[in-house]
Amino acid sequence: MATKEAKSLKKDSGAASAPAKQKTKKTTKAPKENTSEAVKQKSTKSSNISSAPAATGTATTKTSTKKRPPKLVIQHGHSDSEGEGETSLHPMTPMTPMVQSAIAVQDTEAYRGIELKLVSGGLLTNDSVVFSSDSALFYVAKDDAVAVYNVQNGEMVQNFSMERSGTGYQPTAVHAIVAGEARRVYTFSADARARLWDADSGAMVSEWDLGEAAVFASADPARAGAFYCAVRRGPKAVARQGNDKVKYAICHVVLGEGEAATVRELFVASGALGLVVRPGGGWVAAYSKFRVFLAQIKPSGAVVQHKWRMSERLSALAFHPTEPVLAVGDWRGRIMHWFCVDGDAVASEDRSIVRRPLHWHAHKVNAVVFGSDGRLMLSGGEEGVLVLWQMGSDTREFLPRLGSDILGIAVSPDQMMYALTLRDNTVRVVSALDRSMVSTLQGLKFAQRGQAAGLAMQNGSPERLRLARRLEPDAFTTGLVVHPATHALVLNGEPGHLQVFNHATDRHLACIEVAAFNRISGSNAEQQQPHVDIVQFSSDGVWMATADSRGADSPHGPSALVETYLKFWRLDSSDQSYKLVTRVDAPHARGVRALAFRPAPRRAHGRGDGLLCVSTGRDGAFRVWELETRQGAPGAEDHYVWSCRSTSRFRGLQPSGAAFSADGSTLAVAFGGVVTLWDADTCAAPVFALVASAATPDLAGVAFIGSSNYVAAWSDNRLDVWNMLTGSVWWTLAMPLQSVYAHPRASLLAVAANQIPGQSIASIMVLDPQSPVPLVTLQHSGGVEAIALAPAATSGKSGRSHPDTERGLLRPDPLQNNSLVVLTPTGLLNVYGAESDDEAIARAMDAAPATSVSTAAVPMQSSAFASIFGTQNKPTADSVVPLVSANPHVRSAMRLVRSAVQSAYTNAPHHVLPPVSALYDQFVKAHLAPRVDIALEDTAAEEDQTTSDSNKMDISSDDDMAAQSVPSVDIETSFSLGFTKSLCSGFASKAH
């Protein structure tokens, strides 16, 4: 039967291939012409997005690159076909080459557009935070934006950046932030521009072109609107921060009226790592790895420069506000006070300088800063301890156990708070009075990991390579896991921990300690850190299963595992935290590869016996674990225990991925290149085996796509989608895959692939398993670490939750009320979603003609069907009214009322619903033209003819008049409708 179906599909595809190509050529240009100005202003961040293609068929487009992407092989049924094409950068053109397919696809205008909704995550600790002039806010540079946070509670109050408009927009990183007066902020970006922002409104006040990008910037205390900046002068090929071959020009920049800026070069500092200015003015200092550059700016404008070469590697600089002291921190943990900020002292021939060492830190000193009065000096480093030095004495105070290395320290202008930036992407605000925590801002911890890996790839310096080696045993293996209850993201955090992060609000929610370990400071500390390999949740989110391991000194891998654990956790409703219930030591030899929960019935809610969890390991077996509830003593709580129910193997192959079907009856386990299907209740022997191709030697994962009858199995460079009804491969995608995500409830499959080898450009596609033609295609530069489909945060004003309202204007969401979350290697979370109601209506009104259908042309009929699903009136040529109400509140109220009525009927029990026969007549009338009475039309035609004959001497035959006035009636259609009606009535009568 499958062969016959495949042949018929192939035959239909061949018959429709010619018109499909013509339709594709017509619709690729339409979005460009019909896009409104409001939609044009919405763009994506480093991505080009396209909706579903207009029709199936071969779509080959041109590319601006010389490299050709790999072939995309799509197999449908038992017929194979190949196609080759190239990627396109047009925002509304599919970039994936498609070949013939027998499944019809919606037109491009059938779905809403997809846009970049927000960007969360990112690195908060790239530099020290900057306080506002009134000490009420602090500013943080996040990629190309500046985030403004409240000091007292750590909540974001503003986030501003350049408007992302135009398809050619490229994000420009913010290198430096300088606080101005009255909550004004100066930013210096990689596009060689300085900008002045209003922190309250987020609006840009002024903009200046500097000609060259400023890497570091500090305000000139002697002149308003003037700054000292470090401008990179080295070649772009080797222009990396900290490279001694790169020259940095220390310049004095004056921002004048308009866009004019005066830039004056003072001196050159090779390989500069930092820039500081004396609070009283007149002195500027910079440092590289082993050099200190000191310059005195005299009132006449003359510059006197001095340089010193040190034997120890330098890490921090700071000027004393009142004394002629320059504090220099190094990698040995020393802080040297140089008494050199004096013209007479540095003018001597031998350049002998009085130095005073202060030594407490055991490792590298990352930050040194003085208070405004000079009585207090603060320092921090790899020990994670804030040290407060009393300058008049040898007294020291300590603030320990901050959780991570201190990277930067900032003192508020009122001297009442200290802001500490930590290596784990955390900002802590500490009170200067009692050393208590005022607020804590926790970012995405993966961003710190991503930055370290990126630095190691860009520069092979010993520091960065050692940091990369430290992170190798703690690889990113969990991917993006969506919590079923909170819809938050769960992913690897610190070693042995999981982080729960809300991508919609850009907030850290919780940190789950899966495996404890003792943190030892210092880059040379040898310790075996635990690592969380896998995490999975039950369908209701009550149970969590984790697999963690502790490796040896070699990189993370199966041969390096020393200890492996499988742990089951239960959610404690009292404090909303997971408590450990069962721990299994060494569940599989050489580690666990996959975990999957069996979907639990709603009545169980995390308690019912019989909840199953399957684990696969590198020992060639998969084990099924069952939940047992044991009654406790009278008045005590029940005990939950997970035990192994069965162990199964298949032909000596090694299992990889595992997944349960939506109803929990079938278990799919991937063995090598074979997907085996098992009865979930017995797991005695496989009931069926799906063998894809010899091109798939070892599968990496398998998943059921929602509640559909399709199964996806993938390896590193191939994706196969199986139709369970036919037992055959429905279609295949052959290209290097980076991440695959199958939605657990909706019939959606998200795929991230690298189409062009050697380039960090990923193609992200969201597909319906029925068709290989993607619903959404976007191009993401910079690479992709993981992707996920998370439920979108919708409200009553969003048509995405009711795509059938205002039919013809609010088109359905191709993501089915979900958001596409993309995790970049640098730790950014790009969240894509369907366009809003206003944008969809604006684009539809721009594409619609000037006149439209009147809703009052046909009288409203009161019926049961109309009260539930609304009415659909037929157009007339005489009436012209606006498409929808101009008042958005009226549209929102109409949607809320209709959605409430629909929800009452769709969620009600079947025994209280009206019969099918009661709704059938209204359903048919809502979709067909009004019925025409031929006899009445004949009478009206004769009367019109008589009147015409009396007024005009125009003679015409009755047959001709009847032919003009009587519409044609399709007898076959009439018979089909009558037969369908009688059939539905028969089923309804039997049901009742």
Side-chain angles (χ1 to χ4, degrees):
M1 186 176 74
T3 307
K4 293 181 179 180
E5 181 182 354
K7 291 181 178 179
S8 62
L9 292 175
K10 184 176 181 181
K11 181 178 180 181
D12 297 339
S13 175
S17 59
K21 293 182 180 180
Q22 296 176 1
K23 190 173 183 181
T24 303
K25 293 181 180 179
K26 293 180 180 179
T27 54
T28 51
K29 298 182 180 179
K32 185 176 181 180
E33 298 173 357
N34 297 333
T35 304
S36 62
E37 293 296 328
V39 179
K40 287 180 181 179
Q41 292 179 0
K42 296 290 182 178
S43 61
T44 60
K45 183 175 183 179
S46 304
S47 63
N48 294 323
I49 303 174
S50 65
S51 298
T56 56
T58 305
T60 304
T61 54
K62 295 183 179 181
T63 181
S64 57
T65 58
K66 296 182 179 180
K67 295 185 179 181
R68 299 179 64 85
K71 292 183 179 180
L72 174 65
V73 181
I74 300 178
Q75 300 175 353
H76 185 272
H78 290 283
S79 60
D80 300 340
S81 58
E82 295 185 1
E84 183 174 359
E86 298 183 353
T87 60
S88 171
L89 300 182
H90 195 278
M92 296 298 292
T93 303
M95 39 180 310
T96 307
M98 293 300 160
V99 300
Q100 290 184 356
S101 174
I103 299 178
V105 183
Q106 296 280 358
D107 186 80
T108 303
E109 296 299 327
Y111 291 99
R112 291 194 181 196
I114 302 299
E115 62 185 6
L116 180 64
K117 290 294 183 179
L118 58 96
V119 178
S120 58
L123 192 65
L124 304 176
T125 58
N126 194 29
D127 202 353
S128 300
V129 303
V130 178
F131 281 96
S132 61
S133 58
D134 57 359
S135 301
L137 306 173
F138 65 88
Y139 313 120
V140 177
K142 296 177 60 176
D143 196 44
D144 64 333
V146 176
V148 184
Y149 295 91
N150 188 296
V151 170
Q152 298 299 326
N153 53 24
E155 294 290 337
M156 181 186 296
V157 297
Q158 190 60 260
N159 187 17
F160 50 85
S161 64
M162 289 298 297
E163 185 178 3
R164 301 180 178 94
S165 60
T167 57
Y169 169 77
Q170 295 294 332
T172 55
V174 176
H175 288 165
I177 302 176
V178 180
E181 298 294 333
R183 294 193 177 181
R184 297 292 179 93
V185 185
Y186 292 91
T187 61
F188 297 84
S189 305
D191 58 354
R193 287 185 173 272
R195 298 177 177 90
L196 177 62
W197 304 83
D198 186 354
D200 292 330
S201 62
M204 186 177 64
V205 180
S206 302
E207 185 178 12
W208 297 270
D209 187 4
L210 304 181
E212 294 176 300
V215 181
F216 307 104
S218 183
D220 184 359
R223 182 174 180 179
F227 304 88
Y228 291 100
C229 303
V231 178
R232 183 179 297 157
R233 292 287 174 85
K236 293 184 179 180
V238 294
R240 303 187 185 98
Q241 182 179 336
N243 192 337
D244 289 338
K245 297 181 180 180
V246 181
K247 294 183 179 180
Y248 291 83
I250 309 301
C251 304
H252 187 258
V253 178
V254 179
L255 305 179
E257 298 294 335
E259 295 187 0
T262 304
V263 181
R264 176 196 173 200
E265 182 176 338
L266 302 179
F267 60 94
V268 175
S270 299
L273 295 174
L275 175 69
V276 292
V277 178
R278 189 180 185 186
W283 292 85
V284 180
Y287 74 97
S288 63
K289 293 180 181 178
F290 297 97
R291 290 180 179 272
V292 176
F293 306 89
L294 181 63
Q296 181 183 9
I297 314 300
K298 296 188 175 181
S300 61
V303 179
V304 180
Q305 181 186 3
H306 308 278
K307 294 186 293 184
W308 293 271
R309 183 173 181 84
M310 309 300 298
S311 59
E312 296 294 336
R313 189 168 180 177
L314 306 179
S315 58
L317 280 184
F319 276 106
H320 195 283
T322 58
E323 300 293 334
V325 174
L326 176 66
V328 181
D330 59 24
W331 280 51
R332 290 182 57 185
R334 299 180 305 175
I335 302 176
M336 303 293 294
H337 282 189
W338 293 12
F339 294 86
C340 62
V341 188
D342 190 350
D344 297 335
V346 299
S348 58
E349 294 294 335
D350 56 356
R351 295 184 179 179
S352 59
I353 300 176
V354 178
R355 298 182 178 91
R356 179 193 176 193
L358 300 176
H359 197 175
W360 178 89
H361 296 276
H363 307 290
K364 173 186 174 183
V365 179
N366 290 326
V368 177
V369 65
F370 288 93
S372 61
D373 55 1
R375 299 179 181 179
L376 191 67
M377 183 183 71
L378 297 87
S379 63
E382 293 184 357
E383 302 84 4
V385 179
L386 177 65
V387 184
L388 299 94
W389 307 76
Q390 299 290 339
M391 297 307 298
S393 62
D394 295 334
T395 305
R396 296 188 298 262
E397 297 182 23
F398 305 96
L399 183 62
R401 295 183 294 275
L402 294 175
S404 185
D405 305 358
I406 298 177
L407 299 181
I409 305 173
V411 182
S412 63
D414 59 2
Q415 306 295 305
M416 299 301 294
M417 286 171 290
Y418 311 134
L420 312 178
T421 56
L422 307 181
R423 187 177 295 279
D424 63 348
N425 206 18
T426 305
V427 177
R428 299 185 184 273
V429 180
V430 182
S431 172
L433 297 178
D434 54 0
R435 310 295 190 261
S436 62
M437 293 294 170
V438 178
S439 62
T440 300
L441 176 63
Q442 175 65 69
L444 188 66
K445 295 189 177 182
F446 177 84
Q448 173 262 337
R449 181 199 313 265
Q451 187 205 36
L455 291 178
M457 292 173 60
Q458 293 178 2
N459 193 349
S461 63
E463 174 190 4
R464 291 167 180 169
L465 289 178
R466 279 196 300 268
L467 182 58
R469 282 196 294 268
R470 289 176 58 193
L471 293 175
E472 278 181 2
D474 193 41
F476 181 68
T477 57
T478 60
L480 294 180
V481 181
V482 180
H483 193 275
T486 62
H487 302 159
L489 300 179
V490 182
L491 66 163
N492 286 114
E494 294 180 335
H497 291 68
L498 294 172
Q499 183 181 17
V500 184
F501 193 83
N502 191 332
H503 59 281
T505 60
D506 196 12
R507 296 291 293 178
H508 165 84
L509 297 182
C511 182
I512 304 174
E513 184 182 24
V514 177
F517 78 104
N518 295 325
R519 179 181 177 275
I520 303 176
S521 63
S523 58
N524 297 325
E526 298 293 338
Q527 52 182 330
Q528 296 180 1
Q529 299 178 350
H531 175 72
V532 181
D533 303 323
I534 310 167
V535 57
Q536 287 295 332
F537 295 90
S538 60
S539 57
D540 54 6
V542 176
W543 289 96
M544 178 180 70
T546 60
D548 63 280
S549 60
R550 193 181 299 269
D553 296 337
S554 58
H556 179 73
S559 60
L561 297 181
V562 177
E563 302 173 358
T564 58
Y565 302 97
L566 174 61
K567 300 177 181 178
F568 294 94
W569 312 70
R570 191 175 190 275
L571 181 64
D572 189 355
S573 59
S574 60
D575 57 357
Q576 294 297 312
S577 62
Y578 283 95
K579 307 296 184 183
L580 182 62
V581 173
T582 303
R583 191 189 79 171
V584 182
D585 296 352
H588 293 273
R590 299 166 59 194
V592 180
R593 298 193 64 179
L595 291 173
F597 274 99
R598 180 180 182 178
R602 293 185 178 180
R603 63 179 182 273
H605 193 63
R607 170 187 171 84
D609 294 337
L611 182 63
L612 302 180
C613 179
V614 62
S615 64
T616 64
R618 296 182 176 88
D619 54 357
F622 73 89
R623 290 180 169 84
V624 178
W625 308 86
E626 184 177 11
L627 172 64
E628 298 179 4
T629 304
R630 300 178 181 177
Q631 299 293 334
E637 296 182 355
D638 297 340
H639 298 283
Y640 300 96
V641 177
W642 286 83
S643 59
C644 181
R645 193 185 71 173
S646 62
T647 301
S648 303
R649 301 175 185 271
F650 181 75
R651 298 179 181 177
L653 299 176
Q654 187 178 107
S656 53
F660 283 94
S661 60
D663 58 358
S665 62
T666 305
L667 171 64
V669 182
F671 284 90
V674 182
V675 178
T676 58
L677 302 179
W678 305 70
D679 187 349
D681 294 325
T682 61
C683 293
V687 297
F688 201 78
L690 307 176
V691 182
S693 172
T696 310
D698 190 8
L699 294 173
V702 62
F704 286 88
I705 306 176
S707 58
S708 65
N709 57 309
Y710 295 94
V711 177
W714 61 90
S715 61
D716 293 337
N717 52 14
R718 185 185 177 92
L719 171 68
D720 297 325
V721 175
W722 296 79
N723 189 338
M724 301 300 296
L725 298 181
T726 61
S728 60
V729 176
W730 202 240
W731 52 270
T732 296
L733 177 66
M735 60 172 54
L737 301 178
Q738 294 178 326
S739 179
V740 179
Y741 185 89
H743 200 283
R745 291 173 298 276
S747 297
L748 292 176
L749 180 67
V751 179
N754 187 11
Q755 283 191 317
I756 304 178
Q759 295 188 9
S760 59
I761 300 177
S763 300
I764 302 176
M765 296 168 285
V766 179
L767 307 101
D768 189 311
Q770 298 180 4
S771 171
V773 181
L775 301 175
V776 175
T777 304
L778 63 92
Q779 189 181 44
H780 200 281
S781 62
V784 173
E785 191 71 25
I787 58 176
L789 290 170
T794 59
S795 61
K797 295 184 178 181
S798 176
R800 284 180 289 165
S801 57
H802 309 289
D804 58 340
T805 59
E806 300 183 24
R807 197 170 301 169
L809 291 180
L810 297 184
R811 302 182 181 90
D813 180 4
L815 300 180
Q816 302 181 21
N817 305 338
N818 293 283
S819 297
L820 176 62
V821 184
V822 180
L823 176 63
T824 66
T826 57
L828 291 175
L829 289 171
N830 295 339
V831 182
Y832 299 89
E835 59 187 0
S836 61
D837 291 354
D838 296 337
E839 294 166 350
I841 293 175
R843 180 165 29 162
M845 294 181 68
D846 289 344
T851 61
S852 58
V853 181
S854 171
T855 58
V858 180
M860 299 288 289
Q861 297 181 359
S862 176
S863 62
F865 178 81
S867 63
I868 301 174
F869 301 102
T871 59
Q872 182 179 3
N873 299 310
K874 299 301 177 233
T876 61
D878 299 330
S879 56
V880 178
V881 295
L883 287 170
V884 291
S885 174
N887 191 341
H889 301 286
V890 175
R891 298 198 304 267
S892 178
M894 293 174 61
R895 287 194 299 270
L896 287 176
V897 172
R898 187 171 296 173
S899 63
V901 175
Q902 292 180 9
S903 178
Y905 278 89
T906 56
N907 297 329
H910 66 278
H911 62 275
V912 301
L913 294 176
V916 178
S917 59
L919 303 178
Y920 181 80
D921 291 336
Q922 289 79 12
F923 176 81
V924 174
K925 290 179 181 179
H927 292 80
L928 297 180
R931 184 176 180 179
V932 179
D933 193 338
I934 301 177
L936 294 178
E937 287 291 330
D938 290 339
T939 304
E942 291 176 1
E943 292 177 358
D944 294 340
Q945 180 67 23
T946 304
T947 304
S948 177
D949 292 341
S950 61
N951 296 334
K952 300 180 180 178
M953 301 302 294
D954 186 348
I955 301 176
S956 60
S957 64
D958 294 340
D959 295 338
D960 295 339
M961 182 61 66
Q964 295 176 7
S965 59
V966 179
S968 60
V969 179
D970 192 348
I971 300 177
E972 184 179 356
T973 304
S974 234
F975 172 77
S976 300
L977 291 176
F979 176 76
T980 306
K981 177 179 178 180
S982 61
L983 183 62
C984 292
S985 299
F987 279 119
S989 61
K990 291 181 180 180
H992 287 271

